[in-house]
Amino acid sequence: MKVDWYSLEAELALWRQEGLSLPLWWRDDDAITTTPQLERLTQLSDALGLPVHLAVIPRNADHALADYVQAHSALVPVVHGWAHQNHAPAAEKKAEFRLHRPLPEIMKDAKAGLDRLTTLFGHRLRPLFVPPWNRIAPEVVQILPTLGFTTLSTATPRKIAQPAPGLDQVNTHLDPIDWRGTRGLVAPDQLVAQTVDLLRNRRLAHADNAEPFGYLTHHLVHDDEIWTFTHDFLRRLLDGPTTLWTAPETLRRPQ
């Protein structure tokens, strides 16, 4: 796989010239237990010096994962819904936390996710909520702080920094997987061009550079090209100028 990184490196050079810094974070979804893929993710995180926020599915997460995370400080566990179960009708896009069932039932699942992962991970858990498929109803967003969450993460640049009182939004912006096609790597030139556009908009103050730039992976389904691109892409961002972001530790007191 050959990738032309010139345009990205040129954009980052402009950031350095202008004294700017890109806040950067990494999210990886769908963890349940230890696997060879998780070990590879951990090794890559350690090699890059970039923590990875591990979005864990609470209902199915096991103690082996908890023990593994405890032994690897670069893994930052966060809450990935409850069961990663689709409740939308066939004609709609998949969702677990849109209003396809009563709000009290949805609220119960979100709280159960936080409680179970707090039991598994203790103080290592960050109260960041990642709705499966990056979809969530506005009504559900409003209740997240009352359950103890401090941060919400979906996809694409955020529209507002705080979608509910006491709740920050920090999204992901680049996903290297071609979900609707080959399920392999998106054309690298397309990924590079997309990143350059996002960074240029931030540099020119057309987009919110206070929001950490999020790279999204799914370690369980990566092929070698995705692993290689992820290493090479993040390595270039980390060469600067970047500032690493990790989710805050403080749990909100439920209301």
Side-chain angles (χ1 to χ4, degrees), residues 72-93:
H72 295 87
S73 60
L75 301 179
V76 182
V78 301
V79 182
H80 197 19
W82 167 241
H84 211 297
Q85 180 177 354
N86 177 34
H87 294 279
E92 295 186 22
K93 293 181 178 180

Side-chain angles (χ1 to χ4, degrees), residues 142-154:
Q142 295 303 310
I143 68 173
L144 290 179
T146 72
L147 304 179
F149 290 101
T150 61
T151 314
L152 168 68
S153 181
T154 60

Side-chain angles (χ1 to χ4, degrees), residues 93-113:
K93 293 181 178 180
K94 292 179 179 180
E96 186 175 31
F97 286 87
R98 283 186 171 171
L99 299 183
H100 300 111
R101 52 198 175 119
L103 187 58
E105 183 179 334
I106 297 172
M107 187 173 179
K108 181 180 178 182
D109 278 358
K111 183 65 165 60

Side-chain angles (χ1 to χ4, degrees), residues 11-71:
E11 177 63 27
L12 291 171
L14 291 173
W15 281 65
R16 287 190 288 273
Q17 290 174 16
E18 297 182 21
L20 300 173
S21 183
L22 177 71
L24 176 67
W25 78 298
W26 183 4
R27 195 185 100 200
D28 184 279
D29 288 1
D30 301 344
I32 296 173
T33 188
T34 56
T35 62
Q37 296 96 323
L38 180 61
E39 292 178 3
R40 186 167 181 177
L41 179 77
T42 307
Q43 291 167 4
L44 179 56
S45 174
D46 288 340
L48 291 169
L50 176 62
V52 56
H53 292 71
L54 201 61
V56 179
I57 302 172
R59 188 187 69 178
N60 301 326
D62 64 18
H63 289 278
L65 178 64
D67 292 343
Y68 185 84
V69 168
Q70 187 65 33

